[in-house]
Every structure is written in C-alpha cells, then in structure tokens.
Amino acid sequence: MRNSGKIKRKKTKLDQLMDRLVIVIFLLLLATCLGLAVASGFWARTFQEKHSYLAALYQHTSPAHQAFLNFWGFTILLSIIIPMSMYITFEFIYLVNSCFINWDLEMYYGAKDIPAEARSTSLSDQLGQIQYIFSDKTGTLTQNIMSFKKCCVNGTIYGSGTGHENKQAQGSGSWEHPGEQKSGVCDVTLLEAAQRDNDPVLREFLRLLALCHTVMAEDRGDQLVYQAASPDEEALVLAAKSLGYVFLARTQDSITIRELGRTRTYELLAMLDFNSDRKRMSVLVRDPQGRIRLYTKGADTVILNRLRSRGPQESLTERALDRFAEETLRTLCVASREVSEAEFRAWGRRHREAAALLGERARELERLYEEMEQNLQLLGATAIEDKLQDGVPETIQLLKLGNIKVWVLTGDKQETAMNIGYACRLLTDDMEILEEKEVSEILQAYWESNNNLSGHGDTPCSLSQQHPETLCHKRAIIISGDFLDRILHTGEVLKEKKGWPWQWLSCGRAEASQDQGALVEKAFVDLATSCQAVICCRVTPKQKALMVQLVKKHERAVTLAIGDGANDVNMIKTADIGVGISGLEGLQAVQCSDYALAQFSFLQRLLLVHGRWNYLRICKFLRCFFYKTFAGLLAQVWFAFHSGFTAQPLYEGWFLALYNIFYTAYPVLSVGLFEQQDVSAKKSLEFPELYVVGQQDELFNYRVFGVTLLHGVGTSLISFYITLWAFEDHVGTKVVGDYESFSVTVALSALLSVLVEIVLDTQYWTVLSFLMVTASLLLFCLFSFLTQTVDAYRIAPAIFRFPDASWNALTDPYVLLVVLLSLVVNTLPSLTVHAVRATLGRASTQQRIQLRARRAPEPPVELRSHVPRGSFRRSSYAFSHQEGYGGLITRGDSLRVRDSGDKGRVRDSGDSGDSLRVRDSGDSGDSLPGV
C-alpha cells in the first residue's frame, strides 16, 4: 500500500463543461423557484385583499408562509430539469463507443493478433479534441526490433555499407544453429578478424559484449534462447555470439561464455547496474587466469569523459559515432580497464559496507561506482538499427494536416533524433531548425524586454507579441534534456548557478526566482507551441512527464502521449489521454494507458475517425438532451403564471416520471450511438482538416448551450400558449376544455415537437434509429392507456388521476388540429435554418474541404542528415533501457536452478546445457526473465 501512487481520474473537456453547466442549471432552478415563490406570496396577499369573504381559509397561514412552502413545491416540481439521467446515458454511450474502437478491424494487427483496445470508457469524445501529441521514438515510431549493424573497434568501422558484407568468409565456422535467434552481423572482415584472434582490442570488445549485460540464457535442447530486459542488450549479445563469443549461462557469482570454441567461466565480483542517471553499466569480473577487469558500456558522453587519455583512436571513434548518428543508428560506447588486486580488496570492502547501509545506501553505492569507473580504455562503439514502423510518415503528415502538433520526446542523441524526424516527415526541408543556441537567444531577448517592462510597471507581453516572426515561418525546435532541465528547474537553481544562461536569468533578483522560473517556462512554451515540430532528445522519463505538464499548464491544451515502454509511463499518465503501444518492451505502458494500439499508424484512425465521430455524437447528444429537457418541462413554469403560483403540476405525474426514461430517452440515445457519418471514414482520412472543429470546441460550448436553452424555452412557450389560446374561449365537440385535456394537449405538442426536431437533426439513419423514434411514440401511447384507464383510477385514484384523459382529448379533431398547429409553429424555425444553411451558408468548411482535390504524395525522405551539425552525442540506449536487474542477479533472488540437486554449487564451466531456468519470452519486460 505504501508503494501505491496517487490515482488521478481523467475527465474530458465536455465532462468538465457538463459539471459547470449542471451547477448553472441548478442555480437557474433555484432562482426560478425563488422568483415564483415570491410571486406566489404577492399573489396570495392580493387574493386575500380582494376576496375577504375567504379569510377563514387563511387564518393559520400568511403570504410569507405560503411563499416558503411554494418555494419547496416548485423546487420539487422543477427538479426534473436537472439532467441527472444524462450522466447515466453518457456512460452507456461511452461504453458503446469504446466497443466500436475494439471492433474496428482496420486497427487490428494480424501479424501479432493484437486488436485495438479501449481501456478507458470515459474519454472517447476527447479523442476528437487532441491538439498536441507527445511521442516516444523507440518502439513507438520505430519497430523496436534491434539488429546489430555496425561497430567501430580501435578506430576501424565494420558492418553493412563498408563494402565487406554479403560475402562468405573462407574457413569460417558457424556459431549460430538453425532455429536460433539471429544477430544480423554480415561483415566478413569483422568475422575473419574475430576468428584470427590476433587483435587484443577486438578480443576485449567482443568479450565485453558477451559479459557486460543482464541477459538470461535458456538451453532448449539444441537451441540457446536469450531473454533480455531490452532489445538493445539482446542484439549486442547475439552479435557477440555470431562472432564466436557465446554467452552460455550465469549464476549469481559467475558468467560462463564460449570464446571461439573454448568455454571459460568468469567470476562475477560486482555488477554496477544501470539507471537513467548513470546512463551506463559495468561488470567487475575475474578471468580464469586470475586477472580482474572492469567492463563498461553506456552513453558516449559519460564514457568519453572517463577515459584515461585521448588519442587518434578515440578521435576516430568519435567521428564514427557522428557517422552512425547520421544514419539514424542507436550508438553505445564500450570501455574497460584492469583492476589490481589491492585496489579491488579496498574497494570491495567499502562496497560491502555500503551495500549493508540502511540509509543513504544508493548514494554511497553510486559514489563507489563512480570511483571505480575511471581511467577507462576505450574499446570502440556499437551501432544498432531500429527501423521505422510502417505508415509512420503518412500518419504524422495526416496529423499535421489535422492541426495536431507532434512532439517527439526521446532518449536518442541529437543527430539520430533529427534524422528520424526527417524520415517520418515531422521535419521538412523548408523548416528553420532552432537549436539550443537560437532558443537561448530568443528567450534572452524576451527576458530582457520583460524586465524592462516590469521595471516600469507594465504588463509583460507574450513571446509571439515580441517576436511575431516566430509565427510567420515554419520552424522546429530541437533541444537536449540538459537544456530542458535548466528550463524546467529555473526557479530552484537560480540562487546557486552562475554563468550562462543564468546571467540573464538572475539579473540580480534572486529573491524572485520562482516568478522568474515561471516566466521563463511560459516563454519557452510560447516559443515551442509556435513551432510546427519539437524534438527533445536525451530526455529522462521524468522530463517527458514535465514537458506534458508544461503544455497543459500554460496552453490549456488537450494532450495525448503515446509510448511503448516503462520509461513512457509517467508521460502517459500525465497526458489527458495515454496510448500504449503493445510492443517488445513489456506491457507497462499498455497497463497504464487509456487506449492500447499495436502500431503507431493506427493513431490516425483512432483520432481522425473514431475521435471525430465520437465528438460529433456526444455534442449532438448533449444538444438534443438539453433541448428536449427544456422544451418538455419548462411549460410547468408558464403554467404557474396562470395557476396562482400554487406549484400545481401541469402534467400528469406519470408523464413527468416517464418523460426522461421512455418517451424521449431512446431517440436521444440513438443520436449518441449512431449519429456519426457527416463524412465516411475514408473521407475523414482524406481530409484531416475536418478534425479542427473539435479542437476549437465549436459543436458544444457555452454559446451552443445558450442557443439550445433559448430553443427549448421557445418550444415550451409555443406548445403552452397555443394550447392555452385554443382552450381559452373554445371547447371541442366533446367538451374537452378541462384541465386534464389541456395537460394532455400540451404534453403531446411538446413531445412531438421534440421528436420531430431530433428527426430533422439526424443525418445518418439506421434501422435502430428509426425503431427508437417509433418506440418512443408507441410507449407514450401504451403508458397513456395503462395509466389513464378507469379501472386504474378505481384502484388508486390518488395515483392514476387522469382517467381517459388522453382518449377524450385525442379523439377530438379540434385538439388534434391544435397539436398540429403547435408542431408546425415549433418546426418552422428549424426548417428555416436548415433551408438557409443548405442554400447559402452550408458551403462551409466541411464541404469546401470535401471538394478540394487530393494532395499529391510527398517524395520519400532519405534517412541521412540534411545539414552537417556539431555533435551533442548521447547514446539512445542509455536512455531507453530500463533500470537494470543487477541487484537481483548478484543476490541470486531470481535465479532458479533447473535441478534441485544443483542448488548451492557453481556450475561446471563446460556444461552449456545446464543453463538457468527462465520464464517464457512472452512475459512483460517489467520483471527480470526468470523471476
């Protein structure tokens, strides 16, 4: 229970608007009841003065007392106007709309048998109002199927594209067996160099790939299957295996590998595990000869800063890293060093003491790790390919045409993220790219200008007002996690930091650091939202969530976050709508999401089709619901002016009880379920500009509610006063000028007006829509007959108070003509509006978009850098990989031996088949395989 996080319920904009409107309706109800109660008091006093002979009836009461009682009488009578049943209908409509998403075969991924899943049933309408999408890259935009493509060892680049692939090495042995996992290494030069075994740097490089990881191995007869916490680690271990360095098994204190056919067991002395702050992992091992070595892999910046020295080979490796990044490959640096026995004994003693601490344990261990991981010798760099998913460029292009801005928040290095941006059409050639220097200059100018304004007591102006050119050109921002951290934590560190960029941030006003920090945040968000694309590279999971929170805080925009791994969970939970990709990094993202998809490309149909349709349905449902409520029930208020303000009900009690349940519920429900296709799904995808209507809240807002309220008031006035006018001086052939007939006539006029209005407003008819409208009329007739029979009146006259009222009234042609007149007068305004729109105003945005010609497809974008740039290298692996399981492995908590007799002994180094028992590969990635 202590580990349980605080759960925040997500509510859509329409939900929040409904809550406010219900309060408004309640206040209007109280004001109306209060006004009618005051009027009843004045009427009672006037009546007593004019009719003094009735004074005996008022001996024990007073006008004030009558007004007080009538206030509560009107409150009870008009309480039906409060739309409590709307919430129940809401939930049912949400549930069915979620089923429509689940049943959509266009979002079914047959390759892995994964359908779309609506895990939340109360957010479907907000799918049609998204303004910003925050996306992870690895596994979301890309396939997350890692393959080892290139490497740089001792300054030499190996791999595809170097001219040595697709050849067969002479005398080469095969280290992979049929049916086993493949690595993708196809450079014959690298394979021959590994087999010659005369390069000590290459030998250490491959040995590191086989030793420095948390992968688990399982021997399934003639197959050796690896299970890794991330696809990156699996790709590296498979690469080492294909080059002759095969990882066989591990225990809590040993690692067994086969090096070019020779089985060797290394004693595992310590595992310096990975986390998002360290961005690296290391293993400290003792080889069979007794030498102790430290093997480290991680982000290039953290590794390069810990080297013993820098020479020509290191410079060649850095240039190779830039080249790999230009090809959108995921990079990683590897290094090692030899540790003396004396140094290890001293360090090991302190390590054991730190591991036993109850407080500050993590900090002490991190300090010891930092001490050990120094004076490293660079061995080389690896490059792993992760291809784009199918349909990603087309999806992003459609989302951009729908006025949806896509921000990519990734752990990749800047060059990799930039080229992926070009590949998926997030960035285009005509965009101006703003990097950290340009962003700082713009923010600095904004800061200085606002400081000058605030010194004169003026209101600071927005960034777009000071730099209108930011809105006139197509721009994109590419920043790093470090720069973002300075923006997000400005208020906290202003008092401590000196130098750029804090010189222009502090300005001698450290006492106002929090206000300054908020001002810089607002300026950054203004600048970022004015751009067409934003890419944040080398960001941590916390920074992803903070970016989403920034936009929600300063822009009040509807946000969607999409990711596939545990590092995306914070972002998904922070956004208004979270979408999880069912990928290769487990189910953490899916389990925390509101919607689960198998591919990023399905997002276009989820938003542009289902999201827009759901928004249209819900908005039309709300308009119809409020209209039928006001049109049918406000006649009670007008009747009070003609009944002495005595809170006498106009309608029969059964009509009031069944009006919202049977008589009008089904047609309105059919609108919320089936009214969708102003255009087809195909046209919705061809013209994504139609999506803008939801972003601008055009279909339901305070203005639309006000118009609906006036429409309902007008319908109730017409239904009541036409009937009152007809019944005032005339009676029918059956003398039906009584109260019951008057009530039935007003009720039928209002009900038919509501049903006809719903019929005129329905654009997409189905069999169920027709049946629901017909059922409403049939139910009205049925319940009117059952509740108004003479037999029912004889049984309970206090409950069934209108015997044969409907039969007497509706069999009179005069009453039917009155109903017809009310229906025609109520319908004429709507028919007039529909006709005007059809002839004049209906050449609106939607039809203009539909008549527009299809856009020509854009040419494909090459996956290479368009402009050579300086490198801000940071390995994507070090950010995308989860926190490791080194603690579990070294403690042995998760390692289960296959045979009980093997417990307590170290495995024989030659027995590769006696590997550790692990779970099936279908397990989620949030736990170590084998747990």
Side-chain angles (χ1 to χ4, degrees):
M1 295 299 293
R2 294 172 63 93
N3 292 332
S4 299
K6 183 178 180 181
I7 298 177
K8 182 180 180 181
R9 180 176 179 264
K10 295 182 178 181
K11 299 188 69 174
T12 67
K13 292 176 69 174
L14 287 179
D15 272 337
Q16 297 171 0
L17 179 60
M18 287 306 98
D19 293 343
R20 294 191 290 268
L21 288 180
V22 168
I23 295 176
V24 170
I25 293 173
F26 180 72
L27 294 178
L28 289 176
L29 171 64
L30 292 181
T32 302
C33 294
L34 182 61
L36 293 175
V38 172
S40 71
F42 283 104
W43 187 90
R45 187 177 65 180
T46 304
F47 184 82
Q48 293 178 28
E49 292 174 354
K50 289 184 178 181
H51 305 279
S52 57
Y53 56 88
L54 297 176
L57 298 176
Y58 302 98
Q59 288 182 349
H60 304 291
T61 185
S62 64
H65 183 250
Q66 284 189 334
F68 176 78
L69 294 179
N70 283 332
F71 171 78
W72 295 108
F74 281 119
T75 301
I76 296 172
L77 186 63
L78 298 177
S79 61
I80 305 176
I81 295 177
I82 299 178
M84 300 308 297
S85 62
M86 177 188 67
Y87 288 97
I88 301 174
T89 314
F90 242 171
E91 292 301 323
F92 183 74
I93 293 175
Y94 280 146
L95 176 63
V96 176
N97 287 341
S98 300
C99 293
F100 290 156
I101 294 175
N102 297 340
W103 297 337
D104 191 349
L105 294 179
E106 296 294 327
M107 295 195 295
Y108 171 74
Y109 189 52
K112 295 185 178 179
D113 190 27
I114 301 177
E117 180 185 3
R119 297 175 53 83
S120 174
T121 60
S122 59
L123 301 174
S124 58
D125 61 283
Q126 191 144 285
L127 289 172
Q129 298 180 284
I130 300 299
Q131 295 167 273
Y132 292 89
I133 293 178
F134 298 87
S135 174
D136 180 37
K137 185 191 75 68
T138 304
T140 304
L141 300 179
T142 60
Q143 298 177 8
N144 202 18
I145 301 176
M146 308 298 176
S147 58
F148 186 93
K149 286 297 180 184
K150 293 185 178 183
C151 65
C152 178
V153 182
N154 205 19
T156 303
I157 297 178
Y158 302 95
S160 58
T162 58
H164 303 288
E165 62 272 18
N166 299 326
K167 299 178 182 178
Q168 179 64 37
Q170 296 181 357
S172 62
S174 178
W175 312 105
E176 296 177 343
H177 299 284
E180 290 191 345
Q181 298 153 294
K182 304 297 182 181
S183 67
V185 178
C186 56
D187 191 327
V188 66
T189 304
L190 178 60
L191 183 59
E192 291 176 348
Q195 291 175 356
R196 287 194 299 268
D197 197 25
N198 55 8
D199 186 350
V201 177
L202 178 59
R203 185 189 308 122
E204 287 295 300
F205 177 89
L206 298 176
R207 186 174 291 162
L208 183 147
L209 297 184
L211 290 173
C212 186
H213 54 77
T214 58
V215 176
M216 304 295 293
E218 180 180 6
D219 187 7
R220 298 179 181 176
D222 59 344
Q223 296 182 16
L224 190 62
V225 179
Y226 295 139
Q227 298 184 30
S230 79
D232 299 83
E233 283 210 322
E234 182 179 358
L236 294 175
V237 174
L238 288 174
K241 176 184 177 183
S242 66
L243 295 171
Y245 287 74
V246 184
F247 167 62
L248 298 177
R250 76 179 331 133
T251 67
Q252 69 184 73
D253 53 9
S254 69
I255 300 176
T256 302
I257 65 175
R258 183 186 299 121
E259 300 179 1
L260 300 176
R262 301 185 304 273
T263 301
R264 294 164 60 94
T265 298
Y266 291 80
E267 182 184 357
L268 180 62
L269 302 177
M271 181 172 289
L272 286 57
D273 206 2
F274 172 91
N275 62 45
S276 58
D277 295 326
R278 284 169 36 79
K279 305 177 183 66
R280 62 191 183 275
M281 77 162 291
S282 304
V283 291
L284 196 61
V285 298
R286 189 192 304 272
D287 63 19
Q289 287 75 35
R291 294 190 301 268
I292 300 176
R293 292 197 66 86
L294 175 75
Y295 294 104
T296 303
K297 67 179 181 183
D300 39 24
T301 51
V302 297
I303 297 298
L304 295 177
N305 291 336
R306 288 163 175 77
L307 298 181
R308 180 185 302 114
S309 61
R310 295 214 179 188
Q313 304 302 330
E314 285 74 13
S315 300
L316 291 173
T317 302
E318 292 187 56
R319 286 199 290 271
L321 288 169
D322 293 336
R323 176 178 170 181
F324 296 159
E326 290 177 1
E327 300 172 8
T328 70
L329 300 177
R330 298 161 60 85
T331 58
L332 184 71
C333 282
V334 296
S336 69
R337 79 178 181 97
E338 188 169 349
V339 181
S340 66
E341 190 71 33
E343 180 185 359
F344 168 71
R345 282 199 299 268
W347 184 88
R349 176 178 51 79
R350 288 182 292 151
H351 180 265
R352 288 190 296 272
E353 293 174 356
L357 291 176
L358 297 179
E360 303 293 335
R361 176 177 177 272
R363 180 178 299 179
E364 286 298 318
L365 288 176
E366 185 173 347
R367 185 179 61 82
L368 287 173
Y369 294 167
E370 180 73 22
E371 177 184 326
M372 176 59 69
E373 294 167 329
Q374 299 293 333
N375 300 320
L376 301 174
Q377 177 188 357
L378 184 64
L379 299 177
T382 63
I384 297 175
E385 182 185 37
D386 187 12
K387 294 182 180 180
L388 282 178
Q389 293 182 13
D390 295 334
V392 168
E394 294 79 8
T395 300
I396 290 182
Q397 184 70 11
L398 283 176
L399 294 176
K400 290 167 65 177
L401 291 175
N403 197 34
I404 301 175
K405 294 185 177 180
V406 181
W407 293 17
V408 175
L409 312 179
T410 177
D412 283 342
K413 56 195 300 186
Q414 181 168 340
E415 291 82 356
T416 303
M418 184 181 301
N419 286 283
I420 287 292
Y422 280 109
C424 65
R425 298 184 189 174
L426 184 62
L427 304 178
T428 57
D429 292 329
D430 58 346
M431 279 186 180
E432 179 186 0
I433 306 299
L434 299 180
E435 296 187 359
E436 295 179 5
K437 181 179 179 181
E438 293 89 344
V439 174
S440 299
E441 291 174 354
I442 295 175
L443 294 182
Q444 181 177 2
Y446 165 80
W447 176 263
E448 293 173 349
S449 176
N450 275 321
N451 271 347
N452 294 334
L453 287 175
S454 60
H456 294 86
D458 297 331
T459 302
C461 58
S462 67
L463 189 67
S464 58
Q465 292 173 333
Q466 294 187 14
H467 299 274
E469 69 277 5
T470 59
L471 304 177
C472 301
H473 301 89
K474 297 179 68 175
R475 292 189 172 188
I477 289 180
I478 300 179
I479 57 175
S480 66
D482 293 337
F483 182 84
L484 182 62
D485 191 60
R486 292 195 290 269
I487 296 295
L488 298 181
H489 298 87
T490 298
E492 299 178 10
V493 298
L494 266 176
K495 299 180 181 180
E496 303 175 4
K497 297 290 185 180
K498 303 294 182 182
W500 183 95
W502 313 110
Q503 291 177 345
W504 55 270
L505 288 180
S506 58
C507 298
R509 300 178 61 189
E511 68 280 356
S513 60
Q514 292 185 352
D515 294 337
Q516 295 172 2
L519 189 60
V520 174
E521 282 184 3
K522 183 65 169 65
F524 171 73
V525 173
D526 286 344
L527 176 61
T529 53
S530 68
C531 296
Q532 278 63 44
V534 176
I535 296 179
C536 299
C537 55
R538 306 178 298 176
V539 291
T540 62
K542 182 179 179 181
Q543 289 174 328
K544 291 183 179 183
L546 289 176
M547 278 297 291
V548 178
Q549 188 64 39
L550 267 185
V551 175
K552 292 177 61 178
K553 174 183 176 182
H554 294 288
E555 290 297 309
R556 305 288 183 181
V558 181
T559 59
L560 181 146
I562 180 170
D564 72 313
N567 57 340
D568 303 315
V569 168
N570 288 340
M571 175 177 68
I572 288 173
K573 296 175 71 174
T574 303
D576 294 299
I577 291 181
V579 178
I581 299 291
S582 302
L584 301 179
E585 294 192 17
L587 298 177
Q588 300 98 319
V590 170
Q591 290 169 352
C592 296
S593 66
D594 305 305
Y595 296 89
L597 302 175
Q599 294 281 288
F600 181 86
S601 59
F602 295 158
L603 194 63
Q604 58 177 294
R605 188 171 179 87
L606 180 68
L607 299 184
L608 302 181
V609 178
H610 289 283
R612 200 176 68 85
W613 282 354
N614 291 342
Y615 177 72
L616 294 178
R617 294 181 197 134
I618 294 297
C619 290
K620 186 169 286 190
F621 161 77
L622 291 174
R623 294 198 303 270
C624 292
F625 190 95
F626 283 119
Y627 168 73
K628 64 100 173 176
T629 301
F630 298 138
L633 301 178
L634 281 183
Q636 298 272 4
V637 178
W638 319 133
F639 183 67
F641 287 90
H642 301 274
S643 61
F645 302 100
T646 56
Q648 178 183 354
L650 168 64
Y651 299 127
E652 180 193 13
W654 286 102
F655 180 84
L656 291 175
L658 300 176
Y659 181 78
N660 283 327
I661 300 176
F662 292 110
Y663 299 163
T664 59
Y666 299 122
V668 173
L669 181 61
S670 70
V671 170
L673 294 180
F674 309 118
E675 179 65 15
Q676 59 207 37
Q677 296 186 359
D678 55 338
V679 294
S680 64
K682 182 179 179 181
K683 291 294 183 182
S684 297
L685 296 176
E686 288 181 2
F687 303 103
E689 295 90 343
L690 294 169
Y691 189 82
V692 178
V693 68
Q695 296 174 332
Q696 299 174 352
D697 298 327
E698 291 184 2
L699 299 185
F700 194 83
N701 47 44
Y702 287 111
R703 180 188 62 80
V704 174
F705 173 75
V707 172
T708 304
L709 174 61
L710 293 178
H711 190 190
V713 170
T715 300
S716 64
L717 281 170
I718 292 172
S719 300
F720 179 81
Y721 280 102
I722 285 182
T723 305
L724 180 64
W725 167 79
F727 274 66
E728 191 171 17
D729 297 320
H730 305 80
V731 293
T733 57
K734 294 186 178 181
V735 194
V736 292
D738 58 306
Y739 160 67
E740 288 85 358
S741 299
F742 177 77
S743 172
V744 170
T745 306
V746 175
L748 183 59
S749 300
L751 177 61
L752 290 179
S753 298
V754 168
L755 293 181
V756 170
E757 183 67 29
I758 294 176
V759 168
L760 292 176
D761 205 28
T762 301
Q763 297 180 0
Y764 185 76
W765 280 93
T766 64
V767 175
L768 290 177
S769 302
F770 175 77
L771 290 178
M772 286 187 174
V773 174
T774 306
S776 296
L777 291 174
L778 294 178
L779 287 173
F780 173 76
C781 298
L782 175 63
F783 283 110
S784 296
F785 172 76
L786 293 177
T787 59
Q788 295 179 9
T789 60
V790 176
D791 294 334
Y793 175 76
R794 290 172 179 171
I795 296 173
I799 299 177
F800 304 100
R801 302 174 61 182
F802 279 45
D804 283 340
S806 295
W807 178 261
N808 293 332
L810 299 181
T811 54
D812 189 344
Y814 182 79
V815 173
L816 295 179
L817 288 175
V818 172
V819 173
L820 180 61
L821 177 62
S822 299
L823 180 61
V824 171
V825 176
N826 281 324
T827 308
L828 276 178
S830 297
L831 289 176
T832 304
V833 172
H834 281 80
V836 171
R837 286 179 177 177
T839 56
L840 299 178
R842 201 50 178 175
S844 61
T845 305
Q846 293 187 6
Q847 287 193 346
R848 288 198 302 269
I849 291 173
Q850 293 179 35
L851 295 175
R852 191 184 310 166
R854 293 186 180 182
R855 299 177 182 272
E858 296 188 9
V861 181
E862 185 181 3
L863 300 183
R864 295 192 65 85
S865 178
H866 288 240
V867 180
R869 300 180 180 274
S871 174
F872 288 88
R873 282 185 251 95
R874 186 66 61 91
S875 170
S876 59
Y877 164 86
F879 288 85
S880 64
H881 184 37
Q882 308 173 50
E883 184 166 352
Y885 301 105
L888 294 176
I889 292 174
T890 54
R891 291 197 306 269
D893 293 347
S894 63
L895 305 185
R896 295 183 297 181
V897 183
R898 186 178 302 273
D899 299 324
S900 59
D902 289 341
K903 295 182 179 179
R905 68 175 179 87
V906 179
R907 300 178 179 277
D908 185 1
S909 61
D911 187 10
S912 62
D914 202 16
S915 59
L916 300 181
R917 185 178 177 183
V918 293
R919 290 201 304 188
D920 189 270
S921 59
D923 290 349
S924 61
D926 57 345
S927 60
L928 178 65
V931 176

